[in-house]
Each structure stands twice: as structure tokens, then as C-alpha cells.
Amino acid sequence: SLWSGGDFPAHTQAHTPTTHTPTHTMAAICSLAPRIVCAARAPKVRAAAEEPPAPPPLKAGSTYKDLNAAVKAGLVQGCAPFGNGIDAFGFYNNIDQAEAQRFADVEITHGRVAMLAALGFFVGEQVEGSAFLFDASVTGPAINHFQQVPTFFAVTLGVGIILAETNRVNQAWQSPFEASRLFLQKDSHVPGDYAWDPLGLSKGKSANDMKSIKMKELNNGRLAMVAIAGLVGQELVDGQNVFQSGVDAAAAQ
């Protein structure tokens, strides 16, 4: 071989190599190594440059002029066709930055609860009266289901909610005994981020990917809040299941 100095074919032994000795070959490889390493790292450098900048740290006592300023700061997300958001009642006018942070976090949290509630409405009414669920004792519109579940289930659900809220408070909120005032979240807390991802859906995602996913979650949560309000209102008015109301309306036409 070239590195061991073994036998060469006859046509190569007729002359003495001067420019392709092992020493020259190794020198050429060594000179190329840094270039190869840099070329391999180049895509990572370009990808990092595309990441959106982190929002500036919040400061209690400082204010945002309006919702547009909060959106530009990266705290609140708007979506097309309202890229700067909508604040018809002026809640964000001259709002304290810490208060704006809490508003953004509360919106995401309520959106998540609303998505679960809307799904629960439809699923709960489809399986009501089933023998496998509470011995078929839960029936009627979804707004009356919780009052019919066994006490043990209601207490267990209540304990679960308390544990979840306790963890949420410990993750995001400042201690009321140490904060300058009540209801302050930690300056480093990102609204909606509670480091809970049991399925690992965020692994391997870039910051741009996560921004897109968060926007989709926020939009679905906003829609779900409107939807669950309509579902509850409808059942309070006519006292019927959601689908049954639709069937009766279609039959009446």
C-alpha cells in the first residue's frame, strides 16, 4: 500500500515519484482537513442565523404603548389578516409589561382548556348512556354531565386539577412573599411554556418551527374559546344535546 511502502505495479516502478510521496500526500490531506470541517459546519451556522431573535426580557413597571408594541416585542402573537392583533377594548393601552405577560399566558391557558372542553362536549354526548361509563348513569346535555358523575370521580378530578395548577404556579409565578406585588410571573417565563411535552413533539424542532406550531395552537385555542361559549349557550337555551339540536333544526326545515 501507499502508506506501508509495499510493492507497486511495474509501470510505476520505472520512475521515482517526486510529488506524490506519502509525506506530500499527508500534507495535502492535512491542509484540506480544516476546509472539510468548515464546510461540514457551514449549514449549521446558516441555520442558526435564520432563527428569530429572542424577545427582550420583561421588566415590571415598564409599559407597552399598545398591543402593537407588545406584538413587536415578541410577547403577543398576531396572525393574518390581523398581524398586529386586535384590541377593540384597549386592554393593552399603556399596559405594564408584567401584566401583558400574564394576559398572554392566560389566553394560551384558557385556549387549551377550551379545546379540551369542546372535544369533551362532543365525545361525552356520543358515549352517554354507555354501560362501560359510570354504569350508564350519565345522560343528557353535556352541561349537566358533571353533576351526575360519582363523587369519587369528581373528587379525583378536583385533586388532579389542584396538582396541575400547583405545578403551573411553581413553574411560572413569583412567590407572593418575595415579589414586589401580587400576580407577577417570573421575568424569564415564556407565556404558555411549562416544560411539559410527554410525547416529545418539540424535539428536533427549530425555533422557527416552534413559532409556527405555537401560532397554530394559539389560533385553535382562540377558536375553541368561541366554540365552547356557543355550545354552552345553545344547551342552556334549548336543553338538548348539540347534535340533537342540529337534527331537530334540519327536520324543521
Side-chain angles (χ1 to χ4, degrees), residues 144-157:
N144 297 326
H145 282 186
F146 187 74
Q147 297 89 313
Q148 303 175 55
V149 299
T151 303
F152 176 76
F153 178 83
V155 172
T156 302
L157 180 61

Side-chain angles (χ1 to χ4, degrees), residues 10-232:
H11 67 277
T12 60
Q13 294 180 356
H15 66 278
T16 302
T18 58
T19 59
H20 298 287
T21 62
T23 303
H24 286 83
T25 304
M26 293 179 66
I29 293 175
C30 291
S31 65
L32 287 173
R35 302 178 187 178
I36 296 173
V37 173
C38 291
R41 292 182 177 177
K44 296 183 178 180
V45 173
R46 289 196 298 270
E50 296 174 357
E51 303 293 351
L58 297 168
K59 184 177 180 181
S62 299
T63 61
Y64 291 122
K65 179 181 179 181
D66 50 24
L67 179 60
N68 187 25
V71 171
K72 288 183 177 179
L75 180 65
V76 182
Q77 295 188 61
C79 63
F82 307 104
N84 293 326
I86 301 176
D87 185 18
F89 297 99
F91 290 126
Y92 275 82
N93 290 346
N94 297 316
I95 190 174
D96 185 279
Q97 290 187 3
E99 189 76 356
Q101 177 195 34
R102 186 167 69 89
F103 279 8
D105 188 77
V106 167
E107 180 186 28
I108 296 172
T109 301
H110 280 83
R112 290 168 175 169
V113 173
M115 285 188 282
L116 290 174
L119 179 64
F121 251 64
F122 292 116
V123 173
E125 291 186 351
Q126 292 305 302
V127 300
E128 66 173 23
S130 300
F132 76 93
L133 190 64
F134 305 123
D135 197 24
S137 61
V138 178
T139 59
I143 57 174
N144 297 326
H145 282 186
F146 187 74
Q147 297 89 313
Q148 303 175 55
V149 299
T151 303
F152 176 76
F153 178 83
V155 172
T156 302
L157 180 61
V159 171
I161 293 173
I162 291 173
L163 292 176
E165 285 298 293
T166 300
N167 178 70
R168 192 170 75 91
V169 169
N170 289 333
Q171 285 269 355
W173 300 78
Q174 297 184 35
S175 169
F177 304 104
E178 300 175 359
S180 58
R181 65 174 189 266
L182 295 177
F183 308 118
L184 283 180
Q185 293 187 323
K186 297 177 182 178
D187 294 341
S188 59
H189 174 64
V190 177
D193 186 359
Y194 289 94
W196 192 75
D197 185 16
L199 300 180
L201 300 178
S202 62
K203 291 183 179 180
K205 299 291 193 305
S206 68
N208 282 324
D209 291 336
M210 290 304 301
K211 182 179 180 180
S212 175
I213 292 172
K214 289 178 180 179
M215 189 73 256
K216 293 174 183 177
E217 180 191 30
L218 185 57
N219 282 337
N220 282 299
R222 289 165 174 168
L223 176 61
M225 286 187 280
V226 176
I228 192 62
L231 295 173
V232 171

